[in-house]
Amino acid sequence: LSNGALAIRDSIQRHFNDHQDVQIITATTTHGAYTEQSSDTKSIISGYCVVHAGKGLTYCTNNKFIDACQKVGWKGGALSEFEMNMMLWKKLAANCVINPLTAIHGVKNGQLLSLEKTERTITCILEELSSIAILEMESFIQAEEDVEVQAHLQRSIREELSVDFLKSFVTKVMTDTSDNISSMLQDVNAKRTTEVRFLNGYVAHLGKEKYSIDCQYNKDMCNRVEDLKY
């Protein structure tokens, strides 16, 4: 349950490749939150408080985890492995757009909606990601033996991971978390290493190493974020 979940999952799978008893459980959330210094006397010990800037949903492939989430008031549900992988690619699309661009421009998520100069960049980032995501998910369903089911899944992949669909999804995330300060902007402001290599870097690496696709815009996002000096 983190940004860059696909990159982290792949890394864990490579590390435990020979251990058949290792189970990786993936999850995702659209909830937006950030920390800020607090003047509340109840928060003096920790020195900060958590601002829930965009209430979202949490999904997982494990029913026990979802039950635990619901007990503490988190809304969401359980997904199949196919559904989760689709959701993680959509979440990665949002992260690959929102996180680096908010960090580069120093704005909250929703403010990206009014920055016209980012429109072309957003489209190019998503075009690259969409091509990789579709190839990955079409490979994922090859094990499906039912021809009709596989055809249905393929239609879903090509529709829901298309550039237009991903644009709509990313725009909705920007709107729903408009007041949120992205984790990457928080990291840049705090002079911490960002997760950009697990987001845009993952897309660029996968594209080049596995499919011989040059994802120039996602590589550029990595370079621009890492060149920031705040």
Side-chain angles (χ1 to χ4, degrees):
L1 181 60
S2 67
N3 287 346
L6 289 170
I8 295 170
R9 180 202 63 190
D10 289 359
S11 178
I12 294 173
Q13 286 178 334
R14 287 193 298 270
H15 183 76
F16 291 103
N17 191 43
D18 297 327
H19 299 269
Q20 299 298 320
D21 58 333
V22 174
Q23 181 185 14
I24 301 173
I25 297 173
T26 51
T28 185
T29 185
T30 57
H31 193 89
Y34 62 92
T35 60
E36 66 178 11
Q37 291 185 334
S38 174
S39 58
D40 187 341
T41 55
K42 295 180 181 180
S43 303
I44 292 299
I45 295 176
S46 60
Y48 69 88
C49 67
V50 177
V51 179
H52 296 275
K55 293 185 178 181
L57 303 173
T58 299
Y59 299 97
C60 184
T61 54
N62 184 277
N63 285 313
K64 290 183 179 179
F65 178 80
I66 290 300
D67 289 342
C69 289
Q70 291 176 344
K71 286 179 181 178
V72 296
W74 294 6
K75 295 181 179 180
L79 300 178
S80 68
E81 289 291 341
F82 173 79
E83 292 170 329
M84 176 55 67
N85 276 275
M86 290 287 284
M87 178 63 76
L88 287 177
W89 275 108
K90 294 172 191 175
K91 179 72 183 297
L92 183 61
N95 287 149
C96 281
V97 169
I98 295 172
N99 288 31
L101 290 178
T102 53
I104 290 167
H105 297 286
V107 298
K108 291 184 177 181
N109 293 3
Q111 291 176 289
L112 289 176
L113 295 167
S114 59
L115 294 181
E116 294 183 4
K117 57 185 177 182
T118 64
E119 187 174 347
R120 173 61 179 165
T121 300
I122 290 173
T123 298
C124 292
I125 290 171
L126 293 179
E127 285 176 346
E128 293 174 355
L129 185 144
S130 173
S131 64
I132 304 302
I134 289 172
L135 288 170
E136 282 288 285
M137 288 306 301
E138 287 185 338
S139 175
F140 180 85
I141 64 171
Q142 287 306 304
E144 175 57 58
E145 296 179 354
D146 189 310
V147 176
E148 291 186 4
V149 171
Q150 188 180 94
H152 172 73
L153 294 177
Q154 187 173 55
R155 286 193 295 272
S156 296
I157 290 167
R158 295 188 176 184
E159 176 185 347
E160 295 180 32
L161 297 180
S162 67
V163 175
D164 287 342
F165 190 99
L166 291 178
K167 271 188 179 180
S168 296
F169 180 83
V170 172
T171 299
K172 186 177 187 306
V173 174
M174 288 180 189
T175 303
D176 291 346
T177 63
S178 59
D179 290 329
N180 191 44
I181 300 173
S182 75
S183 57
M184 195 172 294
L185 177 55
Q186 292 180 63
D187 287 338
V188 168
N189 287 338
K191 303 186 185 303
R192 295 188 296 257
T193 301
T194 74
E195 76 268 60
V196 71
R197 290 290 169 182
F198 289 88
L199 304 176
N200 305 83
Y202 174 72
V203 174
H205 177 78
L206 196 60
K208 179 181 179 181
E209 298 299 323
K210 193 171 182 178
Y211 299 108
S212 298
I213 297 175
D214 183 22
C215 299
Q216 185 59 50
Y217 276 84
N218 280 279
K219 286 193 295 186
D220 184 56
M221 287 296 101
C222 291
N223 295 332
R224 290 178 66 184
V225 168
E226 291 174 344
D227 285 343
L228 290 174
K229 303 294 181 183
Y230 277 70

